[in-house]
Amino acid sequence: ETGVTQTPRHLVMGMTNKKSLKCEQHLGHNAMYWYKQSAKKPLELMFVYNFKEQTENNSVPSRFSPECPNSSHLFLHLHTLQPEDSALYLCASSQGTSGGPTDTQYFGPGTRLTVL
Amino acid sequence: GQNIDQPTEMTATEGAIVQINCTYQTSGFNGLFWYQQHAGEAPTFLSYNVLDGLEEKGRFSSFLSRSKGYSYLLLKELQMKDSASYLCAGLDSNYQLIWGAGTKLIIKP
C-alpha cells in the first residue's frame, strides 16, 4: 500500500499532442518528485517540489512542465514530446528533504508513456 | 562525478541466501537506501543505512561501510516472490538520491 496514486497508468500520444500526468499522495508528505525510468538505466530525477516550491530541475527539456498546486498534488504537463521520451514516469513523495530516514521516498505505480 | 555501481543480474536458488553488492561515490553522504521493484510495479522501500554496520529486518539485512563506500543487501531463505530488481541509492550532500541501474534477481526452484 503506497499511498501515492498516479493517473493514467498507460498513455499513448502523438508528438503533437498535449497531455498531463497526475500524481496524488495521501501520506501527509511535504516533498514530491518526478522521475523518468528507462529500461536498464538508473532512475532519472526530473523535478523536486518541497512545500509546493520547485527546488530542483535537472536540466529537463521544456517540453516537460511540472505543476504543484499543493503539497498533495503534482502534475507533469507534456507537450510536443519525442519518441525517446517513451518511458515509465514515476511520482514519489517524502516527508522531508534534509537527510535521514524522513527522506525515504514512496513511489506511485507510474505512468507507462509511449510517444508515437 | 557521482556514481552507484551494482551488478546487472544475479541468479539464486529458492531457499538459499544471496548478497547484492553496491558501491557508491557521492558528493557528500547522507545515507544509503535499498528498494525492491517487481516488474511493472513501483519501487518499494526496503532499508536505510547511515551508520556503519548491519541492519536486520526479517529475511532482509543491509550492511554499510562508509569508509569503503560499500553496501550490500542480504536476502535469506529466498522465495520465488523475491524475484525482482533491487535498487541501491545514495543520498548526497544536496539530499538528492543518486540511483544505481538496479540488480535483477532471478530465483530458480
Side-chain angles (χ1 to χ4, degrees):
Chain A
E1 187 176 356
T2 76
V4 181
T5 59
Q6 288 186 245
T7 55
R9 295 293 309 275
H10 300 272
L11 178 62
V12 179
M13 59 188 289
M15 289 191 286
T16 57
N17 292 158
K18 288 183 182 181
K19 296 287 185 183
S20 294
L21 310 184
K22 179 182 176 182
C23 175
E24 184 173 0
Q25 59 96 0
H26 312 272
L27 301 169
H29 288 169
N30 299 311
M32 296 187 77
Y33 310 77
W34 279 117
Y35 284 95
K36 175 183 179 182
Q37 187 174 37
S38 303
K40 299 184 179 180
K41 288 186 176 180
L43 285 170
E44 297 174 46
L45 178 64
M46 300 175 73
F47 302 105
V48 181
Y49 279 82
N50 197 19
F51 291 97
K52 303 189 299 176
E53 298 296 320
Q54 185 175 311
T55 57
E56 291 293 334
N57 175 346
N58 282 4
S59 303
V60 179
S62 59
R63 57 186 183 269
F64 296 92
S65 173
E67 178 189 0
C68 187
N70 54 59
S71 293
S72 299
H73 294 86
L74 186 64
F75 295 88
L76 188 63
H77 304 299
L78 314 173
H79 174 53
T80 58
L81 295 191
Q82 305 298 311
E84 59 264 30
D85 296 323
S86 298
L88 181 68
Y89 288 84
L90 290 163
C91 173
S93 71
S94 67
Q95 186 176 343
T97 60
S98 55
T102 58
D103 285 25
T104 301
Q105 294 181 20
Y106 296 87
F107 286 82
T111 296
R112 174 66 63 185
L113 174 66
T114 302
V115 181
L116 302 176
Chain B
Q2 305 197 91
N3 194 49
I4 302 283
D5 281 319
Q6 53 182 130
T8 303
E9 187 173 297
M10 298 181 71
T11 302
T13 304
E14 189 177 16
I17 299 173
V18 71
Q19 177 175 310
I20 303 174
N21 296 325
C22 169
T23 58
Y24 64 88
Q25 287 180 301
T26 56
S27 301
F29 180 75
N30 283 295
L32 190 117
F33 291 84
W34 283 96
Y35 281 78
Q36 179 191 60
Q37 186 176 25
H38 286 100
E41 297 184 13
T44 55
F45 169 73
L46 289 177
S47 68
Y48 169 75
N49 294 67
V50 67
L51 300 176
D52 285 355
L54 187 69
E55 297 269 349
E56 297 188 69
K57 199 183 287 186
R59 293 189 299 115
F60 291 11
S61 302
S62 56
F63 172 83
L64 177 67
S65 169
R66 294 178 66 136
S67 62
K68 296 181 179 178
Y70 167 70
S71 174
Y72 68 72
L73 181 69
L74 191 71
L75 291 74
K76 301 178 185 177
E77 302 169 15
L78 285 170
Q79 302 175 9
M80 297 304 293
K81 67 178 182 179
D82 297 330
S83 293
S85 288
Y86 292 85
L87 312 180
C88 175
L91 193 64
D92 71 8
S93 57
N94 293 321
Y95 308 110
Q96 282 197 26
L97 279 176
I98 308 302
W99 294 85
T103 298
K104 182 178 181 180
L105 179 63
I106 299 168
I107 309 296
K108 296 187 174 180

